[in-house]
Amino acid sequence: MESTFAIQLNGIVQGVGFRPFVYRSAKTFGITGFVRNDKDGVFIEASGKNVEAFYHHILENAPQQAKIISHSFQKTETKNYPDFRIIESEAKQNNKQLFITPDFAMCENCRKELHDENNRRYHYPFITCTDCGARYSILKKLPFDRENTSMQMFHQCDECLQEYNDASDIRFYSQTNSCKKCGITLSFYNNKNELLSQDVEEILQQINVALQSGKIIAAKGIGGFLLLCDANNEQAVKTLRARKHRPTKPFAVMYPNLQQIENDYEVSEVEKEMLQSAAAPIVLLQPKSPLLGGFRGAAPKLNRVGVFLPYAPLLELILSKFNKPVIATSANISGDSIVYDNEKALQDLPQLADFILLNNRDITMPQDDSVIQFSSKTKTKIILRNGRGFAPIHFLNCQTHKTIFASGALLKSSFALAQNDSIYVSQYLGSTDEYDTQQTYKKVAENFLNLTSAKIETIVCDKHPDYFSTQFAKQKSEEQNISLQQIQHHKAHFAAVLAENNLLENNEKMLGVVWDGTGLGDDEQIWGGDFFSYQNKKIERVCHFEYVPNLLGDKMAKEPRLSALSFCKGMADDILKEKFTGQEWNYFQKILNNKYEIVTSSCGRLFDAVAALLNLCDKQSYEGEAALYLENLATENWKKFSNFMEDYDVHFDEEKISVQTILKQIISDIKCGENKGKIALKFHLSLVEMIETVARKNEFKKIAFSGGVFQNSLLVDLIKIKLEKKYQLFFHQKLSPNDENISFGQVIFPLIAQIDTE
Ligand SMILES: [Zn+2]
Ligand SMILES: [Zn+2]
């Protein structure tokens, strides 16, 4: 009798067609035994002459979306199996490890079948296989088996079942398997909530006509509803902006195919790869020629447009019929989170869309589309939003020893969970200063904790008492009697970038450049232009931008002209006065002359101030708008003069950096009529020089960067070009530099028991 071996595989091995693959391999190698999913991953018992070859074959040829993190191969009690089988998952009480898989974009094979008139899934908008389809967005519980997902209510027809049970079929054991006969159905409504059709061909035809005539469609995608309209139709885009109350914030554009994208944009190899990846995110690209018509309305005043490909079969069908690019943006009322359930869609979306396309499969984990960019020179990857396709972000082998929940920040919220040596960071959950977003945050967090069966031992949150995430954490801690830890915002940023680069155990001292818009500091002031050191598990604040008055709290973040007023300290009254009414001017002067209580070192506000001085933006309609215009202007200039390396002098005073010296020179340049693009570029270069000066003076050799300011791809390029030869530089990789990474930084703190802050 042949020996029997137990094979355990851990990693991303569920919901990716692993068991069918093992089954087929077993047949090839003449192996008997079984394979099953368990809470540890995939478990195999194998008997036969070629068990070892079979084992290596599995490790080397695993399915596309699978990622084996660890594996073991052990001789076990010899058994005589009659054949090889896939057996149902075993529900184990004490789960050691579990992994959640993101949603996968439609694979090439399914795309072919979708357009093949002779295929039984021709034009079936929910075609999937073991390589592609919804995963995280429909998950209710682990492991990823049909009855633990929203597919539970769809019972496979005979033909589907046959595929599901046929080991030679690509849909063998595909948990999302369905077809026209047994699967998900569409319902097409007008904005009076009248049902127009449930027939796929009829619906596709009506959508096509609607798009042609400039109408707006709300269609339920993978992570939620998307609003679609003809990107070439200027009026349609204007209407969409008016209805969404979104005057300037950029919209993404979905193209029918890569060819059309390549016709319109500069696309590098890495960008092409990203567009076509299983995550299929929105990628910011530079148009080849100036934008026309509706396109100008997609990304007003910006030199890059967010572009992506149809990642779901339904979107593929709509786009291939229309055969022109469409605006595709999350369906939400301004400030709210993405609409994802049918009831709310019929209630809220008629005010945004002319037609609403529902389907009867529930979304359990709402997600916006992910957004990513590559800096133009060094091609550094910068994540701007983690959502569908990437979420949840998963870090393995973290030696967590403890189950910890971290609740994140306020804007660009997310949460993180450390459990069983893994850390998950949730999708972007929007700005939790809105009631609707708070409800979504709560629901997603509870769903997540439920599906991971997490028994939280420690909760971590921000220091800011007013953040929704802080209140959520406090409430949970009180209700369940769990210890609570509060971590300073920028230290969490620093910890996040250190941990993402495996630097927490590093003994050499590290410089952390943490620049963002706002966060409550240890001294109760608003930080945001800060330098930290990390050594021997200790984080200390090294130096920061000199404080300026934080005018009118949140209002300052919305009105760059106020930042200019505050930062310039009377140096530019003649330039700034015209930005205010006489009454406003007197009012703000009075405030500035009185003793103000709150001050800030925010780098985000410094960008705002410079943008306002250059007349780029006085009031912004979305976070980061002014800074984007400034980056844009500087980038245009840099393209023309890439050898230009002049900067403004910066004055250092022990731990305070006088950014006023920079502003003084900028104001003088403006008054001399200097080219604005050149000023904008010089400003960026001055920040790089400032970083180098801090590193040099304090003898740092390694520098890590975090905070929303590092979404600025020009700044990242300049830092790399100017500093990479002399310093080791570390940026975020899977996480965004913005506040989405705060929850990860928070979750790290209790894990490094000795970590100490001052
Ligand atoms: Zn597929
Ligand atoms: Zn079927």
Side-chain angles (χ1 to χ4, degrees):
M1 210 160 30
E2 321 283 357
S3 302
T4 303
F5 288 83
I7 301 171
Q8 180 72 47
L9 301 157
N10 297 348
I12 312 277
V13 289
Q14 293 189 7
V16 291
F18 211 95
R19 288 173 300 173
F21 157 72
V22 170
Y23 180 93
R24 287 193 295 271
S25 308
K27 294 285 165 193
T28 311
F29 286 84
I31 302 296
T32 59
F34 68 85
V35 56
R36 71 163 182 245
N37 275 349
D38 62 13
K39 285 279 174 64
D40 302 327
V42 164
F43 179 77
I44 305 164
E45 269 199 15
S47 297
K49 272 201 200 86
N50 304 317
V51 175
E52 216 157 320
F54 163 73
Y55 174 56
H56 289 294
H57 175 82
I58 288 172
L59 295 183
E60 282 151 30
N61 299 284
Q64 221 181 323
Q65 317 295 0
K67 204 164 119 202
I68 299 170
I69 306 296
S70 63
H71 48 92
S72 65
F73 181 76
Q74 269 175 341
K75 200 164 176 181
T76 181
E77 191 189 325
T78 301
K79 284 167 207 137
N80 196 5
Y81 290 108
D83 54 12
F84 195 88
R85 285 180 194 183
I86 294 180
I87 52 180
E88 285 306 325
S89 304
E90 171 191 81
K92 268 208 264 173
Q93 286 307 310
N94 300 318
N95 50 314
K96 242 175 60 199
Q97 280 204 332
L98 36 81
F99 299 112
I100 302 167
T101 315
D103 299 304
F104 299 121
M106 181 169 53
C107 73
E108 266 321 297
N109 187 61
C110 284
R111 193 182 307 272
K112 254 184 237 148
E113 291 189 13
L114 181 69
H115 292 297
D116 175 5
E117 282 183 49
N118 299 317
N119 191 285
R120 71 185 194 92
R121 288 193 180 82
Y122 173 67
H123 281 196
Y124 174 55
F126 300 92
I127 184 171
T128 64
C129 70
T130 47
D131 269 348
C132 73
R135 299 289 188 271
Y136 179 52
S137 62
I138 56 168
L139 189 61
K140 291 177 181 167
K141 231 177 165 43
L142 285 170
F144 186 80
D145 275 341
R146 196 180 187 97
E147 67 266 22
N148 290 338
T149 72
S150 308
M151 288 305 294
Q152 178 202 17
M153 63 175 280
F154 303 99
H155 299 287
Q156 295 183 79
C157 66
D158 288 347
E159 273 171 290
C160 283
L161 257 180
Q162 201 175 356
E163 293 167 336
Y164 183 82
N165 290 318
D166 176 359
S168 64
D169 198 282
I170 54 161
R171 298 194 172 83
F172 182 45
Y173 261 74
S174 166
Q175 302 304 321
T176 50
N177 196 31
S178 66
C179 72
K180 292 176 191 179
K181 238 190 272 172
C182 63
I184 304 146
T185 51
L186 298 175
S187 302
F188 191 54
Y189 288 84
N190 63 17
N191 59 2
K192 294 179 193 73
N193 281 0
E194 292 162 343
L195 180 64
L196 301 178
S197 176
Q198 291 191 298
D199 176 79
V200 174
E201 298 307 328
E202 210 173 86
I203 291 171
L204 288 175
Q205 182 55 31
Q206 289 187 23
I207 287 180
N208 203 45
V209 171
L211 287 173
Q212 302 281 9
S213 52
K215 299 286 190 230
I216 297 164
I217 317 283
K220 189 176 181 181
I222 299 293
F225 281 81
L226 288 180
L227 294 171
L228 312 173
C229 76
D230 181 357
N232 286 295
N233 187 324
E234 204 166 353
Q235 192 50 49
V237 179
K238 265 190 198 155
T239 306
L240 180 58
R241 287 210 173 277
R243 289 186 192 167
K244 279 197 89 178
H245 303 294
R246 187 162 150 171
T248 49
K249 194 175 178 185
F251 288 142
V253 185
M254 185 178 280
Y255 273 74
N257 51 55
L258 186 66
Q259 187 55 53
Q260 287 193 27
I261 294 180
E262 288 185 300
N263 292 343
D264 290 358
Y265 302 85
E266 307 287 350
V267 195
S268 68
E269 278 308 311
V270 279
E271 287 158 341
K272 210 185 292 180
E273 218 171 272
M274 190 52 75
L275 284 165
Q276 295 178 293
S277 68
I282 295 167
V283 182
L284 300 196
L285 296 176
Q286 195 195 320
K288 282 183 176 165
S289 49
L291 298 168
L292 295 172
F295 278 95
R296 228 176 9 221
K301 298 200 260 178
L302 298 176
N303 57 11
R304 285 179 156 200
V305 180
V307 168
F308 58 152
L309 288 166
Y311 49 81
L314 175 64
L315 297 169
E316 166 75 18
L317 288 172
I318 294 172
L319 268 286
S320 64
K321 195 166 179 80
F322 188 57
N323 202 25
K324 280 185 293 181
V326 298
I327 299 285
T329 184
S330 300
N332 53 3
I333 314 284
S334 183
D336 288 359
S337 42
I338 188 166
V339 174
Y340 64 97
D341 77 45
N342 289 352
E343 208 180 310
K344 192 154 196 282
L346 288 177
Q347 184 191 309
D348 286 0
L349 297 183
Q351 46 182 312
L352 299 177
D354 303 295
F355 299 96
I356 298 151
L357 180 57
L358 307 182
N359 68 62
N360 60 341
R361 181 173 69 186
D362 289 338
I363 293 170
T364 60
M365 286 292 177
Q367 299 161 81
D368 293 273
D369 291 311
S370 298
V371 187
I372 193 169
Q373 68 173 333
F374 293 88
S375 67
S376 64
K377 283 276 158 61
T378 62
K379 293 291 165 209
T380 306
K381 182 174 97 176
I382 304 171
I383 303 271
L384 301 173
R385 181 166 77 196
N386 266 320
R388 189 235 359 117
F390 289 128
I393 306 296
H394 188 195
F395 296 91
L396 286 147
N397 304 326
C398 301
Q399 284 147 26
T400 53
H401 311 305
K402 226 176 163 188
T403 303
I404 305 163
F405 177 82
S407 67
L410 177 74
L411 308 173
K412 306 202 187 297
S413 66
S414 73
F415 58 80
L417 178 71
Q419 184 192 33
N420 304 327
D421 288 344
S422 274
I423 296 176
Y424 284 107
V425 181
S426 78
Q427 65 269 41
Y428 158 85
L429 288 165
S431 302
T432 48
D433 51 351
E434 304 276 346
Y435 176 78
D436 176 87
T437 319
Q438 295 172 359
Q439 298 313 304
T440 304
Y441 175 103
K442 257 191 215 172
K443 197 165 175 195
V444 172
E446 295 302 346
N447 282 357
F448 198 93
L449 292 173
N450 184 38
L451 83 84
T452 51
S453 314
K455 300 256 179 303
I456 305 170
E457 291 160 278
T458 300
I459 296 185
V460 194
C461 66
D462 197 271
K463 268 201 155 171
H464 202 303
D466 300 337
Y467 282 6
F468 167 77
S469 57
T470 305
Q471 288 156 4
F472 179 81
K474 281 189 170 159
Q475 195 186 349
K476 222 173 177 44
S477 139
E478 278 160 25
E479 277 170 9
Q480 300 176 22
N481 199 18
I482 306 168
S483 73
L484 180 78
Q485 207 174 333
Q486 291 185 271
I487 303 294
Q488 199 279 323
H489 188 94
H490 301 92
K491 291 175 182 172
H493 266 309
F494 191 20
V497 67
L498 289 173
E500 219 193 334
N501 289 285
N502 292 318
L503 293 163
L504 288 167
E505 300 299 325
N506 191 293
N507 289 323
E508 205 181 322
K509 70 173 182 175
M510 298 275 320
L511 177 63
V513 185
V514 183
W515 289 354
D516 68 358
T518 174
L520 185 64
D522 289 336
D523 57 2
E524 303 293 317
Q525 303 303 336
I526 311 291
W527 294 5
D530 289 72
F531 293 87
F532 296 90
S533 73
Y534 178 78
Q535 194 175 26
N536 302 326
K537 305 237 158 76
K538 200 167 175 177
I539 291 181
E540 283 173 284
R541 196 181 189 203
V542 175
C543 57
H544 59 88
F545 293 6
E546 198 179 324
Y547 286 132
V548 298
N550 192 61
L551 288 175
L552 302 181
D554 290 350
K555 201 164 180 190
M556 184 159 158
K558 295 194 170 113
E559 299 192 10
R561 60 179 189 159
L562 291 179
S563 291
L565 198 60
S566 173
F567 271 93
C568 290
K569 294 187 168 167
M571 291 187 296
D573 283 0
D574 41 349
I575 299 174
L576 298 177
K577 207 165 180 175
E578 64 187 35
K579 298 180 187 294
F580 299 87
T581 65
Q583 204 181 0
E584 284 174 335
W585 184 258
N586 292 336
Y587 174 66
F588 290 123
Q589 290 303 321
K590 209 185 276 173
I591 294 184
L592 284 169
N593 289 329
N594 287 342
K595 182 138 179 54
Y596 31 83
E597 281 173 0
I598 308 282
V599 290
T600 180
S601 63
S602 166
C603 184
R605 296 297 83 79
L606 176 64
F607 269 86
D608 288 354
V610 177
L613 278 172
L614 294 176
N615 271 330
L616 298 176
C617 184
D618 288 334
K619 293 182 182 178
Q620 51 188 4
S621 73
Y622 60 93
E623 201 199 349
E625 181 177 7
L628 260 178
Y629 295 157
L630 189 63
E631 176 191 352
N632 226 55
L633 183 65
T635 305
E636 290 306 318
N637 199 268
W638 191 45
K639 272 188 220 151
K640 284 182 242 158
F641 310 103
S642 59
N643 291 324
F644 183 84
M645 284 291 164
E646 265 178 56
D647 52 48
Y648 297 112
D649 294 331
V650 188
H651 182 74
F652 285 81
D653 171 17
E654 287 295 306
E655 69 229 25
K656 273 179 278 170
I657 302 165
S658 168
V659 290
Q660 276 69 37
T661 54
I662 299 180
L663 289 166
K664 200 172 170 186
Q665 297 160 78
I666 288 178
I667 293 162
S668 151
D669 269 359
I670 292 173
K671 287 182 179 165
C672 294
E674 180 61 276
N675 176 290
K676 280 188 189 177
K678 195 171 158 191
I679 297 175
L681 180 56
K682 268 175 94 173
F683 169 67
H684 279 78
L685 286 160
S686 310
L687 295 175
V688 182
E689 182 59 29
M690 184 197 291
I691 294 166
E692 161 141 49
T693 308
V694 173
R696 197 178 50 233
K697 280 172 85 171
N698 299 281
E699 295 172 341
F700 286 98
K701 285 276 162 253
K702 298 179 178 204
I703 314 175
F705 302 86
S706 190
V709 168
F710 297 103
Q711 295 172 103
N712 182 321
S713 66
L714 171 65
L715 187 61
V716 169
D717 265 350
L718 293 174
I719 287 170
K720 281 205 159 176
I721 290 167
K722 287 196 77 178
L723 305 184
E724 204 156 46
K725 284 199 190 101
K726 286 182 251 173
Y727 302 91
Q728 237 184 310
L729 309 175
F730 301 93
F731 294 88
H732 284 287
Q733 294 171 27
K734 290 201 270 185
L735 296 174
S736 170
N738 69 35
D739 280 4
E740 278 179 53
N741 74 50
I742 290 287
S743 60
F744 180 66
Q746 289 169 343
V747 102
I748 290 299
F749 266 82
L751 296 176
I752 315 296
Q754 312 91 312
I755 212 167
D756 192 8
T757 73
E758 223 165 59

